Amino acid sequence: MGRRIWLLTGASGGLGTALTRAASTAGDEVVAISREDLSDPARVRRVVAEAVTAFGRIDVVVNNAGYAAAGAFEELSDSAIREQFEVNFFAAAEVVRATLPYLRAARSGHIVQISSLAGQIGAPGMSAYTASKHALEGLSVSLAEELAPFGIRVGIVEPGALNTGFRQSWAGRERPGAIADYDDLAARLDLLGHDTHRPTEPEDVADAIVALVGLPEPPLRLAVGSDAAAGIRAARTRQLTDLETRWIA
Ligand SMILES: NC(=O)c1ccc[n+]([C@@H]2O[C@H](COP(=O)([O-])OP(=O)(O)OC[C@H]3O[C@@H](n4cnc5c(N)ncnc54)[C@H](OP(=O)(O)O)[C@@H]3O)[C@@H](O)[C@H]2O)c1
């Protein structure tokens, strides 16, 4: 395949930086949508239009920017939950909406959504984050079918723990509405924030994504890391057990 044009959010962070490097090494061009652009739909549309003007097309769209608003659901403020969805879901949806007219006209393109193991499971202290990633996955699964007739592919990447700065933001976070019953959970989240137990290197994920978009028949989902595979398998097994033993006709 010739040179591909990538549009990427979250390029300043761990996986985004690795992906920029991997795509460039593969001979592709990467256009980054910055944090400032991402919060403004008009600016997103302008960056997309400028990319098409400069390069003639967009081949790969990666929604990678994201963070986790960790904390007990009862302690999270309304604005913290809404902001979580603004970044992890609505900004990604906006990037898709801004690029679709060009991809549809070209009858090609690959939209890659950086979800998470958290897009497949639930986790205490991670309700806002898991909800936002589940929403992103729901959007993406539907889009995959909706856009297939136009030759546009959708892929969902589900990493477990990555060796990036992502988790550090959990540790030491403030709990303005702290409720003592959740102190143990907060302490566990702090520990998790420092947990560096064999995380996957972002460079390995980046290489896998570059390979993914080059496949003639790419999968809808790509789980990354043995922790992601085990977590997803356990969640699906539980779901199947419920379905087979407790369904109502
Ligand atoms: N690391 C993990 O363990 C892990 C596991 C599963 C999934 N993921 C997902 O992987 C993706 C990349 O995360 P990462 O591990 O590379 O984390 P990271 O190193 O913290 O990088 C996150 C990127 O997202 C951007 N970002 C964060 N908050 C933002 C906001 N409020 N508005 C706009 N942009 C924002 C950051 O921009 P700034 O540099 O400006 O902050 C940065 O470019 C995320 O979607 C995350 O949910 C990560």
Side-chain angles (χ1 to χ4, degrees):
M1 183 166 193
R3 182 182 72 149
R4 292 168 298 203
I5 314 301
W6 295 60
L7 190 78
L8 170 68
T9 68
S12 58
L15 177 55
T17 304
L19 197 47
T20 302
R21 211 169 288 136
S24 303
T25 302
D28 296 346
E29 296 286 346
V30 179
V31 178
I33 300 183
S34 72
R35 174 189 269 261
E36 292 71 34
D37 293 327
L38 199 53
S39 57
D40 180 349
R43 286 174 71 160
V44 169
R45 284 195 295 275
R46 197 167 64 231
V47 175
V48 171
E50 284 170 2
V52 173
T53 302
F55 297 107
R57 63 181 197 281
I58 294 168
D59 299 303
V60 185
V61 177
V62 185
N63 276 307
N64 166 69
Y67 73 99
F73 183 67
E74 213 180 335
E75 287 184 357
L76 290 176
S77 68
D78 191 44
S79 62
I81 296 168
R82 286 179 189 278
E83 182 59 17
Q84 178 74 106
F85 271 77
E86 276 301 330
V87 176
N88 290 9
F89 177 76
F90 285 110
E94 187 54 44
V95 170
V96 171
R97 283 161 73 82
T99 50
L100 270 184
Y102 301 102
L103 303 186
R104 211 167 22 77
R107 290 297 196 258
S108 72
H110 203 143
I111 298 168
V112 178
Q113 312 280 44
I114 307 301
S115 178
S116 169
L117 163 62
Q120 288 285 314
I121 66 164
M126 284 291 147
S127 54
Y129 181 61
T130 55
S132 71
K133 291 295 191 184
H134 278 250
L136 183 65
E137 295 223 5
L139 169 74
S140 307
V141 173
S142 299
L143 278 179
E145 292 191 29
E146 198 168 302
L147 302 179
F150 311 126
I152 302 168
R153 294 152 166 179
V154 178
I156 303 168
V157 179
E158 295 161 340
L162 299 180
N163 191 14
T164 68
F166 180 79
R167 285 167 177 243
Q168 271 94 69
S169 63
W170 308 349
R173 76 203 172 290
E174 293 184 5
R175 293 169 63 204
I179 299 170
D181 277 345
Y182 296 114
D183 284 353
D184 285 350
L185 175 60
R188 282 207 304 279
L189 286 173
D190 277 353
L191 284 178
L192 211 56
H194 290 302
D195 184 12
T196 51
H197 182 65
R198 297 176 63 193
T200 304
E201 294 303 325
E203 289 75 18
D204 294 338
V205 187
D207 288 344
I209 293 171
V210 171
L212 176 87
V213 300
L215 292 174
E217 290 186 29
L220 172 62
R221 284 190 164 90
L222 176 69
V224 175
S226 53
D227 52 346
I232 294 168
R233 189 170 291 117
R236 292 291 81 83
T237 302
R238 233 176 2 254
Q239 188 179 17
L240 269 181
T241 304
D242 284 352
L243 187 67
E244 283 160 9
T245 58
R246 298 192 184 88
W247 57 274
I248 296 170

